[in-house]
Amino acid sequence: MSDTCKFKIDGKEIIAKKGQTILEAAKENGVFIPTLCNFTGVKPKGSCRICSVKINDRFMTSCTTPVAAGMEVESNTEEISDLRKSIIELLFVSGNHFCPSCEKSGNCELQALGYRYQMMVPRFPYSFDKKNVVATGPKLLKDQDRCIKCQRCMKTIKDDEGKRYYAFKNRGRDLEVVMDEEMSKTITDELAKEAMENCPVGSIIYKGVGFSEPIGTRKYDKQPIGSLIETN
Amino acid sequence: MSKKIIATTSLAGCFGCHMSILDIDERILDLVELVEFNKSPIDDIKVFTKQCDIGIIEGGCCNSENIEVLKYFRENCDILISLGECAIMGGLPAMRNGIPIEECLHEAYLDGPTVKLNTQKILPNDSELPMLLNEVYPCHEIVKIDYFLPGCAPRADLIWDALVALITGNEMDLPYEVVKFD
Amino acid sequence: MKEKIKAILEKYQIDATRLIDILHEVMDEFGFISAETITLLSNDLRISEAQVKETISFYHFFSDKPRAKYNVFLNNSITSCLRGFEHVKEAFEIESGVKFGNVSEDGLIGLYVTSCIGMNDQGPAAIINDKIFTNLTPYRAKEIIKGIKQGKKVEELIYEANGDGNNAHPLMNTMIINNIRRKSLLLDDNYEKFEVTKNLISKYSPQEIIQIVEESNLRGRGGAGFPTGLKWKFGSKMPGEHRVIICNADEGEPGTFKDRVILTQYNDLVFEGMVIAAYATAADMGVLYLRYEYRYMLEFLNSQLDYMRNNNLLGNSINGIKDFNFDIRIQLGAGAYICGEESALIESMEGKRGEPRDKPPFPVERGYLNYPTIVNNVETLASAVRIIKNGAEWYKTFGTSDSLGTKLLSVSGDCRFPGIYEVEWGVSIKEVLDMAGAENVQAVQVGGPSGTLVNVQDKENHSKTDLMKWYKPSGMMASRKAYDRKISYSDMATGGSIIIFNKSRDILHDVVMNFMDFFIEESCGSCSTCRNLPYIMKQKLLKIINGHGVREDIDDLLNWGKIIKVSRCGLGQTAANPILSSILNFRHLYEEHVKAMTDYDNQFELADSVSAANSFVGRKFIHHNS
């Protein structure tokens, strides 16, 4: 039995390893599917929904759905592109994303997706909810204005015992990702930097340095997000 | 082709977007061939003297005067463009949204570290002053806005490309580098 | 205190997957979960304090702040609102001097609103220290508060005699009434309890049991309608060290209360159904997930389980069948509608937030603690017992060709006889309304807020705009009179919630807004879509109701409702249904509200917007423009 299988994304033939997710296979085949909550190396959760694709007229998240031989996946259609754009807009209006004052600007994945999908203005009204910034820990601050609840910090930043530094609090619209107060006091420098690195937006900020990269040289200043995948 | 008439204003903004308009450099000479400016800080015309084709709005609305000017623009311009982050989403002034206005005024005039000179604790209540809004509004939440050009400030190339497309009626094909939110 | 926490932890083998049970015990012991407790739990369970708080803050009935000696959880579901919720709420507040959401200064009274508690046929109802108080009126609310202030015990606050049937059982002692209005094969009292386990199952092989259930075409009665036999078959074939049968008794869909009645009167059938499912699939672990709102039944249900254990109907070698070992424990929920979704329910059972899982894998593949897990609804399991007893052929004589058997409908709202109706599948909306004694009907909500709002006056039951093409409520039939639509899998499949609204009701303001609030309150928040969109859409609806809507707003609602369909679970996917369904079937109500002559309205009022700043600096509003 062969350990690869073939399927199609928007008519393009994709060769995938069995057990791969649609997203992984797409990436290896030079097809970009946008993601926010997905993070290489950890179990996907499918919570941002931005990688949604259509299979048999049903929406599935490509980060969690395993490939199957012969499946026909719709991804870059007008309908799905607009859907993804609307999710980006939802995340913008439900947080307080003041890009001009954000340290992650230029390296932010949400912003980069806004560029890629040419978001000029969100279709939804801004919420301007009051959110807090917790900066009591010695190394990191957590800015709830910018958090998109992707869970990447929750899944990747853990201590040796597997205890999580970050966890959810509340539910629904009141949902927040908060840092464990006790653990934040003793987080290592390395892990703190990793936490900031893993955050797709500017919600986790490492204290001490800031705005070190000039405009023009940042990750998404010149190249759209996903370019690396597409040129592979 | 008759020249298009353009008006511009800065509401709750920093004039950075206007600086960016000037940043089109020598193309400003071409622009003058294409358009005529009416009410605008660029030529210092204070009131509309005729109906305009395009109104360019910088800044969001933080006080009653902004609302008034914006509505004035809507009445006198066929097309309105929100230029820059403040016009589009309130921008930095909107960082006060979510904080009660009383608290903002307290911080600005009574308690803040820079209010030492306000020994008599005077609050801005002269009837000539614009009244503060409870929060800063994006322009399109006050009047209908037709186009949006993001950036802080929007890149000069974006402004140029967009204006030329609008004036000539050609399709706009924006290079990746010009659409930015910062 | 430390000793007590230690004892609680040891009772659950210091197992973090039992966190829900541990937190319940802490709540019972101390009234709330203190910071000190959280530290202790975190240290011993080897999870961070933030992780403990993550679970606590998800559930309505856990609190990390002190709650009161008497905690009133008043239900705000639509049927409660139709019968005077606001007045009752006001009475509670006036008499106690406490606003809802708060605890009185002396710590005596806490007032909270809570989503549907399964008492729609006798609302407004409240849970006070786990006791249920039904048919509340402002007078009764005041009497309750007076009693509390006089130092009465909760039992002494009761104002009605015990209800009928097992509601009067000494372990229940509740004023709840069953309101069974129509009985058929399931709610049939003429049977011998546990007869199937005692006399029948040993005659069949597990495969034969599955085959009978498959032949009967029994489908999940929770609403989704997945074929039960197939689920059992999948489950039985999955390899696993253990196999788990879960009975989902977390009915939370507003307007549903059938499981309450089944568990009160026919819980033997439910438990027996679990035993049969276990026999068919060689499962050894059984869990009944009981919603917290039904905690008043807990002791009573446990006594039934004890009876079963004492009579070899649970435990090892059940009824002498070699190697048939199966026991059932009851897992108490903690107040979260989403836990009715099977994978969220499993997460909750593992001590976590009730967040639905991605599928695949499905619970039958990897469920509770990663074991193959079969989750069945209360009614499904009870039906299975009847099927095994009487055979698939017999079962097929009930219902219609595509929907066999019977369905329990929970009927509430504007009708003379709210209650439980066991009907054969295929019954029409009109017949249901006649049975319930409903007159002057304007609308019927079938399937709860996530279902369909049927316009019974409509000749053609939906408009045919292009925007509607993608929106397909279950089996929407074209051009059929709404009145004749049938409760069946091919027309309107439902978990059985039927809420009736008469012509005096304001559909948009009273009904749709209430349903949207419900979804906003009950979203787990995981998906970006369901976390944010219902609120945004509700604000838009409010704009329309307030007379600031324009035609484009209706289109926006339809388009935005489409986005939410990419959410992970059924709650998220259907969270816009109250709006979508009402636009579909009551579009004229929207059209009446929107302004015809303008395409733009921002609902901005300068005078309102400057009032706070003006009053702070001490100046009057002047209209500069005039």
Side-chain angles (χ1 to χ4, degrees), chain B residues 124-162:
Chain B
N125 62 1
D126 192 285
S127 61
E128 288 299 307
L129 292 170
M131 298 170 284
L132 272 185
L133 305 183
N134 57 349
E135 57 179 49
V136 177
Y137 292 80
C139 291
H140 64 274
E141 291 184 13
I142 303 296
V143 301
K144 187 172 169 31
I145 300 286
D146 304 284
Y147 296 99
F148 300 85
L149 299 176
C152 182
R155 307 297 183 268
D157 287 342
L158 173 67
I159 299 171
W160 173 253
D161 288 349

Short mmCIF file of all heavy atoms in Angstrom, two decimals, chain B residues 124-162:
data_model
loop_
_atom_site.label_atom_id
_atom_site.label_comp_id
_atom_site.label_asym_id
_atom_site.label_seq_id
_atom_site.Cartn_x
_atom_site.Cartn_y
_atom_site.Cartn_z
N PRO B 124 -12.04 72.71 30.55
CA PRO B 124 -12.36 73.42 29.31
C PRO B 124 -13.87 73.49 29.09
O PRO B 124 -14.46 72.57 28.53
CB PRO B 124 -11.69 72.58 28.22
CG PRO B 124 -11.58 71.22 28.81
CD PRO B 124 -11.47 71.39 30.29
N ASN B 125 -14.49 74.57 29.53
CA ASN B 125 -15.95 74.65 29.42
C ASN B 125 -16.42 75.93 28.75
O ASN B 125 -17.58 76.31 28.89
CB ASN B 125 -16.60 74.46 30.79
CG ASN B 125 -16.18 75.55 31.75
OD1 ASN B 125 -15.41 76.45 31.38
ND2 ASN B 125 -16.67 75.48 32.98
N ASP B 126 -15.54 76.61 28.04
CA ASP B 126 -15.97 77.81 27.33
C ASP B 126 -16.94 77.43 26.21
O ASP B 126 -16.73 76.44 25.51
CB ASP B 126 -14.75 78.53 26.74
CG ASP B 126 -15.10 79.92 26.25
OD1 ASP B 126 -15.74 80.02 25.17
OD2 ASP B 126 -14.76 80.88 26.96
N SER B 127 -17.96 78.23 26.05
CA SER B 127 -18.98 77.87 25.05
C SER B 127 -18.43 77.90 23.63
O SER B 127 -19.04 77.36 22.71
CB SER B 127 -20.19 78.79 25.18
OG SER B 127 -19.77 80.12 24.93
N GLU B 128 -17.31 78.57 23.42
CA GLU B 128 -16.71 78.60 22.08
C GLU B 128 -15.99 77.30 21.74
O GLU B 128 -15.69 77.03 20.57
CB GLU B 128 -15.69 79.76 21.98
CG GLU B 128 -16.33 81.13 21.93
CD GLU B 128 -17.24 81.29 20.73
OE1 GLU B 128 -16.80 81.03 19.60
OE2 GLU B 128 -18.43 81.64 20.93
N LEU B 129 -15.68 76.53 22.76
CA LEU B 129 -14.92 75.29 22.50
C LEU B 129 -15.85 74.19 22.00
O LEU B 129 -17.01 74.13 22.41
CB LEU B 129 -14.24 74.81 23.79
CG LEU B 129 -13.11 75.70 24.31
CD1 LEU B 129 -12.70 75.23 25.71
CD2 LEU B 129 -11.91 75.65 23.38
N PRO B 130 -15.32 73.34 21.14
CA PRO B 130 -16.13 72.18 20.74
C PRO B 130 -16.39 71.29 21.96
O PRO B 130 -15.58 71.26 22.89
CB PRO B 130 -15.26 71.44 19.72
CG PRO B 130 -14.18 72.40 19.35
CD PRO B 130 -14.00 73.34 20.50
N MET B 131 -17.52 70.57 21.89
CA MET B 131 -17.85 69.66 23.00
C MET B 131 -17.25 68.28 22.72
O MET B 131 -17.28 67.80 21.59
CB MET B 131 -19.36 69.55 23.11
CG MET B 131 -20.05 70.87 23.44
SD MET B 131 -21.84 70.79 23.29
CE MET B 131 -22.09 70.83 21.52
N LEU B 132 -16.72 67.68 23.78
CA LEU B 132 -16.09 66.36 23.59
C LEU B 132 -17.13 65.26 23.46
O LEU B 132 -18.13 65.23 24.18
CB LEU B 132 -15.23 66.03 24.80
CG LEU B 132 -13.78 66.51 24.80
CD1 LEU B 132 -13.07 65.97 26.02
CD2 LEU B 132 -13.06 66.04 23.53
N LEU B 133 -16.88 64.33 22.56
CA LEU B 133 -17.78 63.18 22.40
C LEU B 133 -17.41 62.11 23.43
O LEU B 133 -16.27 62.05 23.89
CB LEU B 133 -17.65 62.58 21.00
CG LEU B 133 -17.87 63.54 19.82
CD1 LEU B 133 -17.77 62.76 18.51
CD2 LEU B 133 -19.22 64.23 19.92
N ASN B 134 -18.38 61.25 23.72
CA ASN B 134 -18.11 60.18 24.71
C ASN B 134 -17.02 59.25 24.23
O ASN B 134 -16.26 58.69 25.00
CB ASN B 134 -19.39 59.41 25.03
CG ASN B 134 -20.03 58.80 23.80
OD1 ASN B 134 -19.65 59.10 22.67
ND2 ASN B 134 -20.99 57.93 24.01
N GLU B 135 -16.93 59.05 22.93
CA GLU B 135 -15.79 58.32 22.39
C GLU B 135 -15.44 58.83 21.00
O GLU B 135 -16.16 59.64 20.43
CB GLU B 135 -16.03 56.81 22.39
CG GLU B 135 -17.24 56.32 21.64
CD GLU B 135 -17.35 54.80 21.70
OE1 GLU B 135 -17.26 54.22 22.80
OE2 GLU B 135 -17.51 54.18 20.63
N VAL B 136 -14.30 58.36 20.50
CA VAL B 136 -13.87 58.80 19.18
C VAL B 136 -14.48 57.88 18.13
O VAL B 136 -14.42 56.66 18.26
CB VAL B 136 -12.33 58.79 19.08
CG1 VAL B 136 -11.88 59.18 17.68
CG2 VAL B 136 -11.73 59.72 20.12
N TYR B 137 -15.11 58.48 17.14
CA TYR B 137 -15.82 57.69 16.12
C TYR B 137 -15.05 57.67 14.81
O TYR B 137 -14.53 58.69 14.37
CB TYR B 137 -17.19 58.31 15.85
CG TYR B 137 -18.15 58.19 16.99
CD1 TYR B 137 -18.09 59.08 18.06
CD2 TYR B 137 -19.12 57.20 17.01
CE1 TYR B 137 -18.97 58.97 19.13
CE2 TYR B 137 -20.01 57.09 18.06
CZ TYR B 137 -19.93 57.98 19.12
OH TYR B 137 -20.80 57.88 20.17
N PRO B 138 -15.01 56.51 14.17
CA PRO B 138 -14.53 56.47 12.79
C PRO B 138 -15.51 57.28 11.93
O PRO B 138 -16.70 57.32 12.24
CB PRO B 138 -14.61 54.99 12.41
CG PRO B 138 -14.79 54.25 13.68
CD PRO B 138 -15.42 55.18 14.66
N CYS B 139 -15.01 57.88 10.87
CA CYS B 139 -15.88 58.75 10.07
C CYS B 139 -17.09 58.03 9.49
O CYS B 139 -18.18 58.58 9.41
CB CYS B 139 -15.06 59.39 8.95
SG CYS B 139 -13.87 60.57 9.58
N HIS B 140 -16.88 56.77 9.09
CA HIS B 140 -18.01 56.09 8.43
C HIS B 140 -19.10 55.70 9.42
O HIS B 140 -20.14 55.20 9.02
CB HIS B 140 -17.52 54.86 7.64
CG HIS B 140 -16.90 53.79 8.49
ND1 HIS B 140 -15.59 53.80 8.85
CD2 HIS B 140 -17.43 52.67 9.03
CE1 HIS B 140 -15.33 52.72 9.59
NE2 HIS B 140 -16.43 52.02 9.71
N GLU B 141 -18.87 55.90 10.71
CA GLU B 141 -19.95 55.67 11.66
C GLU B 141 -20.74 56.96 11.91
O GLU B 141 -21.68 56.97 12.70
CB GLU B 141 -19.40 55.07 12.96
CG GLU B 141 -18.91 53.64 12.74
CD GLU B 141 -18.44 52.90 14.00
OE1 GLU B 141 -18.70 53.39 15.10
OE2 GLU B 141 -17.80 51.85 13.84
N ILE B 142 -20.35 58.03 11.21
CA ILE B 142 -21.08 59.29 11.34
C ILE B 142 -21.78 59.64 10.02
O ILE B 142 -22.96 60.01 10.02
CB ILE B 142 -20.12 60.44 11.73
CG1 ILE B 142 -19.40 60.11 13.03
CG2 ILE B 142 -20.86 61.78 11.82
CD1 ILE B 142 -20.30 59.98 14.25
N VAL B 143 -21.05 59.55 8.93
CA VAL B 143 -21.66 59.79 7.61
C VAL B 143 -21.22 58.66 6.67
O VAL B 143 -20.32 57.89 6.99
CB VAL B 143 -21.22 61.15 7.00
CG1 VAL B 143 -21.61 62.31 7.90
CG2 VAL B 143 -19.73 61.16 6.71
N LYS B 144 -21.87 58.60 5.55
CA LYS B 144 -21.50 57.57 4.57
C LYS B 144 -20.15 57.95 3.95
O LYS B 144 -19.96 59.08 3.50
CB LYS B 144 -22.56 57.49 3.49
CG LYS B 144 -22.36 56.34 2.52
CD LYS B 144 -23.59 56.27 1.63
CE LYS B 144 -23.49 55.37 0.45
NZ LYS B 144 -22.69 54.19 0.50
N ILE B 145 -19.23 57.02 3.96
CA ILE B 145 -17.91 57.24 3.35
C ILE B 145 -17.79 56.29 2.16
O ILE B 145 -18.19 55.13 2.24
CB ILE B 145 -16.78 56.95 4.36
CG1 ILE B 145 -16.88 57.87 5.59
CG2 ILE B 145 -15.40 57.06 3.70
CD1 ILE B 145 -16.48 59.31 5.38
N ASP B 146 -17.24 56.78 1.06
CA ASP B 146 -17.22 55.97 -0.15
C ASP B 146 -15.96 55.13 -0.31
O ASP B 146 -16.01 54.01 -0.81
CB ASP B 146 -17.40 56.88 -1.37
CG ASP B 146 -18.68 57.70 -1.25
OD1 ASP B 146 -19.75 57.13 -1.47
OD2 ASP B 146 -18.60 58.90 -0.91
N TYR B 147 -14.82 55.70 0.06
CA TYR B 147 -13.57 54.95 -0.10
C TYR B 147 -12.70 55.09 1.14
O TYR B 147 -12.82 56.06 1.90
CB TYR B 147 -12.79 55.45 -1.32
CG TYR B 147 -13.52 55.22 -2.62
CD1 TYR B 147 -14.23 56.25 -3.22
CD2 TYR B 147 -13.51 53.97 -3.22
CE1 TYR B 147 -14.92 56.04 -4.41
CE2 TYR B 147 -14.20 53.74 -4.41
CZ TYR B 147 -14.90 54.79 -4.99
OH TYR B 147 -15.59 54.57 -6.15
N PHE B 148 -11.82 54.10 1.31
CA PHE B 148 -10.96 54.08 2.49
C PHE B 148 -9.51 53.84 2.07
O PHE B 148 -9.22 52.90 1.33
CB PHE B 148 -11.41 52.96 3.43
CG PHE B 148 -12.83 53.13 3.90
CD1 PHE B 148 -13.89 52.65 3.14
CD2 PHE B 148 -13.11 53.78 5.10
CE1 PHE B 148 -15.20 52.82 3.56
CE2 PHE B 148 -14.41 53.95 5.52
CZ PHE B 148 -15.47 53.47 4.75
N LEU B 149 -8.63 54.70 2.53
CA LEU B 149 -7.21 54.52 2.22
C LEU B 149 -6.43 54.42 3.53
O LEU B 149 -6.19 55.42 4.20
CB LEU B 149 -6.69 55.71 1.39
CG LEU B 149 -7.38 55.91 0.04
CD1 LEU B 149 -6.86 57.18 -0.65
CD2 LEU B 149 -7.15 54.70 -0.88
N PRO B 150 -6.06 53.19 3.91
CA PRO B 150 -5.44 53.01 5.22
C PRO B 150 -3.97 53.42 5.25
O PRO B 150 -3.34 53.61 4.20
CB PRO B 150 -5.59 51.51 5.48
CG PRO B 150 -5.66 50.89 4.13
CD PRO B 150 -6.25 51.92 3.21
N GLY B 151 -3.43 53.51 6.45
CA GLY B 151 -2.03 53.84 6.65
C GLY B 151 -1.89 54.86 7.75
O GLY B 151 -2.81 55.61 8.04
N CYS B 152 -0.73 54.89 8.37
CA CYS B 152 -0.45 55.90 9.38
C CYS B 152 0.98 56.38 9.18
O CYS B 152 1.88 55.86 9.75
CB CYS B 152 -0.64 55.35 10.79
SG CYS B 152 -0.36 56.58 12.07
N ALA B 153 1.18 57.33 8.32
CA ALA B 153 0.20 57.88 7.40
C ALA B 153 0.12 56.99 6.15
O ALA B 153 1.04 56.23 5.88
CB ALA B 153 0.65 59.28 6.98
N PRO B 154 -0.97 57.11 5.37
CA PRO B 154 -1.03 56.37 4.11
C PRO B 154 0.17 56.75 3.24
O PRO B 154 0.58 57.90 3.24
CB PRO B 154 -2.33 56.87 3.48
CG PRO B 154 -3.12 57.45 4.60
CD PRO B 154 -2.14 57.97 5.59
N ARG B 155 0.70 55.76 2.55
CA ARG B 155 1.85 56.04 1.70
C ARG B 155 1.44 57.02 0.60
O ARG B 155 0.31 56.94 0.07
CB ARG B 155 2.38 54.75 1.06
CG ARG B 155 2.67 53.61 2.04
CD ARG B 155 3.78 54.00 3.02
NE ARG B 155 4.14 52.91 3.93
CZ ARG B 155 3.58 52.72 5.13
NH1 ARG B 155 2.66 53.54 5.59
NH2 ARG B 155 3.97 51.71 5.88
N ALA B 156 2.35 57.90 0.25
CA ALA B 156 2.07 58.89 -0.80
C ALA B 156 1.66 58.20 -2.09
O ALA B 156 0.77 58.66 -2.81
CB ALA B 156 3.29 59.78 -1.02
N ASP B 157 2.29 57.06 -2.37
CA ASP B 157 1.97 56.33 -3.60
C ASP B 157 0.53 55.84 -3.60
O ASP B 157 -0.13 55.77 -4.64
CB ASP B 157 2.91 55.13 -3.78
CG ASP B 157 4.32 55.59 -4.18
OD1 ASP B 157 4.44 56.74 -4.65
OD2 ASP B 157 5.26 54.80 -4.01
N LEU B 158 0.06 55.46 -2.42
CA LEU B 158 -1.32 54.99 -2.32
C LEU B 158 -2.27 56.15 -2.63
O LEU B 158 -3.23 56.01 -3.39
CB LEU B 158 -1.59 54.45 -0.91
CG LEU B 158 -3.05 54.06 -0.59
CD1 LEU B 158 -3.48 52.87 -1.42
CD2 LEU B 158 -3.22 53.75 0.90
N ILE B 159 -1.97 57.29 -2.04
CA ILE B 159 -2.83 58.46 -2.25
C ILE B 159 -2.81 58.84 -3.75
O ILE B 159 -3.86 59.07 -4.35
CB ILE B 159 -2.34 59.65 -1.39
CG1 ILE B 159 -2.41 59.27 0.09
CG2 ILE B 159 -3.18 60.89 -1.67
CD1 ILE B 159 -1.76 60.27 1.03
N TRP B 160 -1.65 58.87 -4.30
CA TRP B 160 -1.50 59.22 -5.71
C TRP B 160 -2.26 58.25 -6.61
O TRP B 160 -3.09 58.65 -7.44
CB TRP B 160 -0.02 59.27 -6.08
CG TRP B 160 0.22 59.45 -7.55
CD1 TRP B 160 0.66 58.50 -8.42
CD2 TRP B 160 0.00 60.63 -8.32
NE1 TRP B 160 0.74 59.01 -9.69
CE2 TRP B 160 0.34 60.32 -9.65
CE3 TRP B 160 -0.46 61.92 -8.02
CZ2 TRP B 160 0.25 61.26 -10.69
CZ3 TRP B 160 -0.55 62.84 -9.05
CH2 TRP B 160 -0.19 62.51 -10.37
N ASP B 161 -1.99 56.96 -6.41
CA ASP B 161 -2.64 55.95 -7.26
C ASP B 161 -4.15 56.01 -7.14
O ASP B 161 -4.88 55.92 -8.13
CB ASP B 161 -2.17 54.53 -6.87
CG ASP B 161 -0.72 54.29 -7.29
OD1 ASP B 161 -0.18 55.11 -8.06
OD2 ASP B 161 -0.14 53.28 -6.85
N ALA B 162 -4.60 56.16 -5.90
CA ALA B 162 -6.04 56.16 -5.67
C ALA B 162 -6.69 57.40 -6.31
O ALA B 162 -7.72 57.30 -6.97
CB ALA B 162 -6.34 56.12 -4.18
#
